[in-house]
Amino acid sequence: MAAWEKNVRKVIPYTPGEQPNRSNMIKLNTNENPYPPSPEVTKALQEVDTDSFRKYPDPTAGVLVQALADYYNVSNHQVFVGVGSDDVLAMSFLTFFNSGKPILFPDITYSFYDVWADLFRIPYECPPLDEDFKIRTKDYLRECGGIVLPNPNAPTGLWKNLEELEEIIAANPEVIVIIDEAYIDFGGTSALSLLPKYENLLVVQTFSKSRSLAGMRIGYAIGNERLIKYLNDAKYSFNSYTMNAAALAAGTAAIQDDTYFKETLQKIINTRERTKKELCRLGFSFPDSKSNFIFATHPKCSAEKLFEALKQADIYVRYFHKPRIDNYLRISIGTDAQMDELIRFLEHYVGENL
Ligand SMILES: *Cc1c(COP(=O)(O)O)cnc(C)c1O
């Protein structure tokens, strides 16, 4: 090791899902939306004046913040936006988790939380999910440096009801509780309704999944005005111009086309419920997902082998080589035609491997 390397901030980075790009592949590995963004997004982008790219974008991201505030019926001082919710979450960790006490998140959850904690040198503890993969409320009713819970959780897809979440938020008035609602539009009920009661609550959502805009990188947080002010102070101390002009236009158009949003959501939910029945029929079991993916296991087929076999057939799903979940596959919900093809493959595969 060179002398200078001693003082490098060393991190083990997050591993994103593969992004292969072949025309006839079926990509069910990163929970992207199988439908295109709203036609209003296309229109808005066509109307973007490229001459405006000479200038810096609006540092407050005003149009997008206002569109979100209108949509969720909150003040624009309660909305923070960032380059995907990953940016919003990272900024929130940096801003709010400074007590030196360990923050809490589940052992099986979004695998970016421990990466940010390590990057920012935030200590953390990971209470294990119960044997049904549920988050145990009582594990979060204790002194800590903050809490981050995805709801629905990833990669299990399980949603925790608001009464239980509220118990956790109410028990922790001295720290910030972040609820990461990346998948909330697919079936759960948002914790946004708890905001008037709890100053320590921050709700984070994204345009990447339910609004088909993963490639544009738009995420947001909603909380009380003081929390949002602190977040903005940190942002302006790091990078003032996080949101580019095209993302501002696309995001604003997407949030304003609620009809299209609800239509595509319903299609994905219907496909998910149908896929659950098919997987059951083939002997798979899975937690009852409220998200746009299903976390499935089969008593007779190794998940790792099935993952490889699917890949050979150009069907990509996600496999995590981790304790407790290494016999599960996370399967994103695609179009009906894509799921039919998956099921056809599985029917054949399971039949041969019994
Ligand atoms: C996808 C995802 C995110 C991040 O999404 P962005 O594309 O950065 O908005 C955050 N949390 C969870 C749990 C996710 O699954």
Side-chain angles (χ1 to χ4, degrees):
M1 187 158 73
W4 57 265
E5 276 181 287
K6 270 203 321 277
N7 301 315
V8 168
R9 184 177 292 253
K10 295 179 195 72
V11 286
I12 301 166
Y14 173 75
T15 320
E18 293 173 83
Q19 289 293 13
N21 189 16
R22 284 194 299 284
S23 57
N24 53 357
M25 68 177 293
I26 297 185
K27 192 170 179 305
L28 308 174
N29 70 332
T30 52
N31 299 342
E32 288 146 338
N33 198 306
Y35 301 107
S38 155
E40 295 300 319
V41 171
T42 311
K43 230 193 274 170
L45 286 174
Q46 280 161 350
E47 285 164 11
V48 169
D49 173 12
T50 53
D51 180 59
S52 74
F53 291 174
R54 288 186 300 107
K55 297 181 284 181
Y56 285 104
D58 170 14
T60 71
V63 286
L64 180 59
V65 164
Q66 191 60 56
L68 284 163
D70 292 344
Y71 188 79
Y72 290 106
N73 208 9
V74 294
S75 145
N76 56 353
H77 298 292
Q78 289 183 268
V79 180
F80 176 83
V81 294
V83 186
S85 55
D86 285 341
D87 180 43
V88 174
L89 287 162
M91 207 43 68
S92 303
F93 273 48
L94 183 66
T95 308
F96 299 121
F97 295 156
N98 296 294
S99 69
K101 291 177 197 158
I103 62 166
L104 305 177
F105 49 84
D107 63 337
I108 297 166
T109 194
Y110 187 37
S111 44
F112 223 138
Y113 301 149
D114 58 342
V115 175
W116 289 313
D118 286 335
L119 176 66
F120 297 136
R121 317 243 164 104
I122 300 164
Y124 58 92
E125 284 172 25
C126 300
L129 300 180
D130 73 13
E131 61 282 4
D132 298 322
F133 286 156
K134 292 206 174 86
I135 294 169
R136 282 187 293 222
T137 303
K138 67 173 172 48
D139 292 340
Y140 297 86
L141 309 179
R142 46 167 275 206
E143 194 177 352
C144 65
I147 293 171
V148 53
L149 294 175
N151 201 32
N153 194 10
T156 65
L158 281 177
W159 176 71
K160 192 170 180 62
N161 71 52
L162 286 192
E163 290 73 40
E164 290 171 5
L165 271 194
E166 180 165 6
E167 199 181 336
I168 293 172
I169 299 160
N172 286 281
E174 290 182 15
V175 299
I176 301 302
V177 178
I178 300 175
I179 308 297
D180 177 356
E181 295 188 343
Y183 301 103
I184 197 67
D185 297 322
F186 298 106
T189 306
S190 171
L192 283 170
S193 61
L194 300 175
L195 280 175
K197 272 172 89 177
Y198 300 98
E199 283 197 345
N200 61 325
L201 169 63
L202 188 73
V203 177
V204 175
Q205 295 191 7
T206 177
F207 283 66
S208 295
K209 278 84 182 216
S210 58
R211 293 182 193 274
S212 310
L213 284 174
M216 281 311 255
R217 313 304 304 128
I218 310 171
Y220 52 100
I222 302 183
N224 83 73
E225 300 192 0
R226 281 186 8 254
L227 272 188
I228 298 301
K229 167 81 166 64
Y230 281 123
L231 263 180
N232 271 312
D233 288 348
K235 174 198 113 155
Y236 285 115
S237 311
F238 197 84
N239 175 6
S240 309
Y241 304 105
T242 50
M243 309 307 288
N244 69 65
L248 291 176
T252 305
I255 201 92
Q256 287 171 347
D257 190 355
D258 205 40
T259 310
Y260 181 87
F261 172 64
K262 299 235 160 86
E263 268 170 28
T264 46
L265 269 185
Q266 197 53 53
K267 280 204 268 189
I268 293 167
I269 293 167
N270 294 346
T271 307
R272 177 187 72 206
E273 295 309 312
R274 193 173 69 82
T275 305
K276 282 180 188 172
K277 289 199 190 109
E278 297 282 3
L279 288 175
C280 252
R281 179 173 65 79
L282 296 174
F284 286 88
S285 60
F286 41 84
D288 192 24
S289 170
K290 290 266 193 228
S291 63
N292 69 337
F293 55 83
I294 297 172
F295 197 50
T297 187
H298 196 283
K300 300 221 172 68
C301 303
S302 138
E304 192 169 13
K305 285 192 187 134
L306 175 53
F307 169 75
E308 290 301 336
L310 282 164
K311 202 170 179 171
Q312 289 305 312
D314 249 352
I315 302 175
Y316 281 74
V317 299
R318 192 91 194 256
Y319 174 71
F320 300 94
H321 211 354
K322 288 188 177 171
R324 295 185 74 187
I325 56 170
D326 60 1
N327 204 32
Y328 282 79
L329 294 179
R330 193 193 67 188
I331 306 166
S332 307
I333 303 301
T335 61
D336 275 317
Q338 290 175 323
M339 300 322 271
D340 285 344
E341 200 159 323
L342 169 83
I343 295 298
R344 261 197 305 277
F345 179 95
L346 293 177
E347 232 156 23
H348 188 77
Y349 185 92
V350 171
E352 283 201 335
N353 285 273
L354 283 185

